[in-house]
Amino acid sequence: MKTEMAAIEIRNLTYKYQNAEAPVLQNLNLTIEKGEFALVSGPSGCGKTTLCRCLNGLIPHFYGGELEGEIFVDGLNVRETPPAKLASHVGLIFQNPENQLFSFNVERDVAFGLENLGVPPEEIRRRVDWSLELVGISDLKDRAPWELSGGQQQKAAIACVLAMQPSIIVFDEPTSFLDPLTARGIFDVIAKLRRKLDLTVVVVEHRLEALAAHASRLILMDHGKIILNGEPRKILAEAAERLSLKVGIPSVILLHRRLSKLGILEGLTPLTTSEMAAQLRGVLNRD
Ligand SMILES: Nc1ncnc2c1ncn2[C@@H]1O[C@H](COP(=O)(O)OP(=O)(O)OP(=O)(O)O)[C@@H](O)[C@H]1O
Ligand SMILES: [Mg+2]
């Protein structure tokens, strides 16, 4: 049954992989409203990918294990909804696009999920063209995935998910195998999708500099728990105070903290270098 609620609603989620000794996620609660852009970060092994798997039903439907609590995405109870049905509501982009591309040309890969759903051929063609156009790789549709660069492969993987027209897309470190410039291209695609479509976006990412200014919410995890969750500026300022947190706090935030402690700067924590530059210009003009 579909009910009106937040895009993602997680209540008291505790999860233990099959044969694992201890739970990986512990009593996790999280609400992400429709249309939000949530950024998730935290040290390696803290459970970010596991959380992503809970959102599209890979957990528990493929991984098994022991799951307690409730997960709702787009109003659907993940535990009770078959993964094939969930795929039209929530799409997951992995670190490694090769996991998503397995045919001999891009167009066929993008059509694959729709063919499985029995979508009519005309509609498949329309959606494939639309998805490739949105991610900007229409010219690559006849190419084999292994002929593409890493960035092009990741765009093809995003097109595969888009073709299913989900209302939520979850990106699990989509740029970790890419160089900074190519990574920026992927972040631009994510920003464009959010602008053009009525989407809820969740991005797991270490490179907070690139995305914090675009996010409506920043979620920091550690040891299977959410330790900070809220407006990015506020959360980063708090994280900078607690340097024991193992997250990649952007250098503008750390610099701002030091200069504030020295009494040189005051005011809002900057999220971008241009915000920082504006504050410094203010100080220089003042003196
Ligand atoms: N399939 C699995 N079976 C058993 N344990 C697993 C499985 N996948 C992950 N784990 C364990 O769960 C914990 C959390 O892993 P997860 O991959 O969710 O972390 P992560 O935050 O995504 O880390 P990274 O930043 O390195 O991607 C780790 O201790 C990991 O070893
Ligand atoms: Mg991971």
Side-chain angles (χ1 to χ4, degrees):
M1 191 186 66
K2 196 169 171 196
T3 49
E4 265 314 305
M5 50 165 62
I8 294 169
E9 179 85 50
I10 296 177
R11 298 183 197 138
N12 302 319
L13 168 63
T14 295
Y15 177 72
K16 188 159 90 67
Y17 282 104
Q18 230 158 12
N19 306 322
E21 280 177 14
V24 168
L25 299 177
Q26 294 179 52
N27 200 22
L28 197 139
N29 286 283
L30 178 63
T31 303
I32 297 175
E33 300 295 342
K34 290 188 175 124
E36 278 206 70
F37 184 158
L39 186 54
V40 180
S41 204
S44 183
C46 73
K48 304 179 296 294
T49 294
T50 304
L51 176 62
C52 293
R53 289 174 181 153
C54 291
L55 297 176
N56 78 336
L58 282 175
I59 291 175
H61 298 291
F62 289 110
Y63 284 88
E66 290 168 31
L67 186 143
E68 289 167 38
E70 302 294 341
I71 310 160
F72 293 92
V73 290
D74 207 13
L76 298 167
N77 185 328
V78 168
R79 198 202 295 261
E80 293 165 2
T81 311
K85 180 166 184 202
L86 283 168
S88 313
H89 296 265
V90 53
L92 178 54
I93 308 286
F94 301 92
Q95 281 181 303
N96 185 350
E98 283 172 15
N99 290 341
Q100 247 144 332
L101 307 171
F102 39 79
S103 95
F104 48 86
N105 85 35
V106 169
E107 192 174 21
R108 292 219 42 80
D109 268 327
V110 179
F112 179 80
L114 299 174
E115 284 166 358
N116 273 357
L117 287 182
V119 174
E122 262 310 296
E123 172 71 3
I124 292 184
R125 251 192 303 281
R126 198 189 62 74
R127 287 214 221 164
V128 168
D129 289 346
W130 172 81
S131 314
L132 291 173
E133 170 81 35
L134 261 176
V135 299
I137 56 164
S138 301
D139 52 329
L140 301 176
K141 68 178 182 186
D142 298 322
R143 299 273 282 277
W146 60 86
E147 293 171 343
L148 305 183
S149 71
Q152 291 169 334
Q153 284 185 349
Q154 195 54 292
K155 286 179 184 170
I158 297 172
C160 292
V161 160
L162 275 177
M164 306 293 283
Q165 297 187 330
S167 58
I168 303 166
I169 303 189
V170 180
F171 296 85
D172 185 8
E173 299 199 53
T175 68
S176 57
F177 295 150
L178 303 176
D179 63 83
L181 192 65
T182 313
R184 184 171 288 273
I186 298 296
F187 294 145
D188 287 346
V189 167
I190 296 174
K192 178 178 172 192
L193 297 181
R194 195 161 170 251
R195 239 182 4 256
K196 294 212 157 190
L197 310 174
D198 199 14
L199 275 179
T200 305
V201 172
V202 179
V203 185
V204 174
E205 185 58 57
H206 287 293
R207 302 181 203 186
L208 296 178
E209 288 95 339
L211 289 178
H214 301 288
S216 59
R217 175 189 300 278
L218 175 60
I219 297 158
L220 298 184
M221 293 179 66
D222 198 12
H223 290 103
K225 296 191 168 125
I226 292 176
I227 45 169
L228 289 173
N229 170 13
E231 203 270 311
R233 201 182 294 274
K234 199 166 142 255
I235 298 304
L236 284 172
E238 192 165 342
E241 284 304 313
R242 290 160 62 178
L243 290 172
S244 56
L245 298 179
K246 295 183 268 343
V247 274
I249 298 167
S251 37
V252 275
I253 307 258
L254 296 174
L255 181 60
H256 182 270
R257 176 175 175 272
R258 289 190 69 175
L259 295 177
S260 301
K261 288 219 180 316
L262 292 170
I264 296 170
L265 280 185
E266 50 194 30
L268 273 183
T269 308
L271 283 182
T272 59
T273 40
S274 36
E275 281 183 19
M276 182 73 180
Q279 287 198 15
L280 287 171
R281 265 198 304 276
V283 171
L284 291 173
N285 291 339
R286 194 178 62 204
D287 298 337

